[in-house]
Amino acid sequence: MGCEWLYAIHEEYGYLALRNICFQILSLILLLTYVKDESDLLLYAWTTVAGSAGANLINFLRLRKYRTWRFSWQKHLLPILVLFANSLVNLLYVSADVAQLGVM
């Protein structure tokens, strides 16, 4: 959901760095405000997750800027199925080798 790869492709490293710094500072402020002792372990986990999830949510909401193309399932379905079948056959081949060695 974060789509950092898209922003890396478009070389928006300044945006990525600024977004990470802002959410890390927000997470640190929340940690220092709400986590007081060892019993606040769940609050610690939630503030850490909120920092990461918030950054990814901002990335996801900003994706509209790059949505200039339409995806056609009819055009891309056959290549997707070929790649899926290829990875399935590869997985079965590798697993069969290990299973045969186990039987021997």
Side-chain angles (χ1 to χ4, degrees):
M1 184 172 124
C3 302
E4 285 195 27
W5 58 270
L6 180 68
Y7 297 108
I9 288 172
H10 291 283
E11 297 181 353
E12 292 194 28
Y13 299 115
Y15 160 73
L16 289 174
L18 181 65
R19 182 213 54 173
N20 281 336
I21 290 169
C22 289
F23 275 98
Q24 291 299 323
I25 290 172
L26 177 67
S27 180
L28 181 64
I29 290 170
L30 289 173
L31 282 174
L32 293 174
T33 304
Y34 293 111
V35 178
K36 301 294 182 191
D37 56 15
E38 292 179 10
S39 65
D40 294 334
L41 187 61
L42 191 59
L43 284 173
Y44 171 76
W46 276 109
T47 55
T48 306
V49 168
S52 176
N56 288 334
L57 182 64
I58 295 296
N59 277 352
F60 186 73
L61 293 175
R62 197 169 179 253
L63 279 177
R64 284 188 232 142
K65 176 178 157 181
Y66 295 107
R67 189 170 183 261
T68 59
W69 50 271
R70 297 274 182 208
F71 186 76
S72 171
W73 281 103
Q74 295 83 12
K75 181 179 175 184
H76 298 288
L77 186 61
L78 183 62
I80 289 171
L81 289 175
V82 167
L83 289 172
F84 175 73
N86 187 18
S87 64
L88 182 65
V89 168
N90 186 20
L91 177 72
L92 291 174
Y93 178 74
V94 170
S95 298
D97 187 35
V98 173
Q100 288 174 357
L101 284 174
V103 169
M104 287 182 193

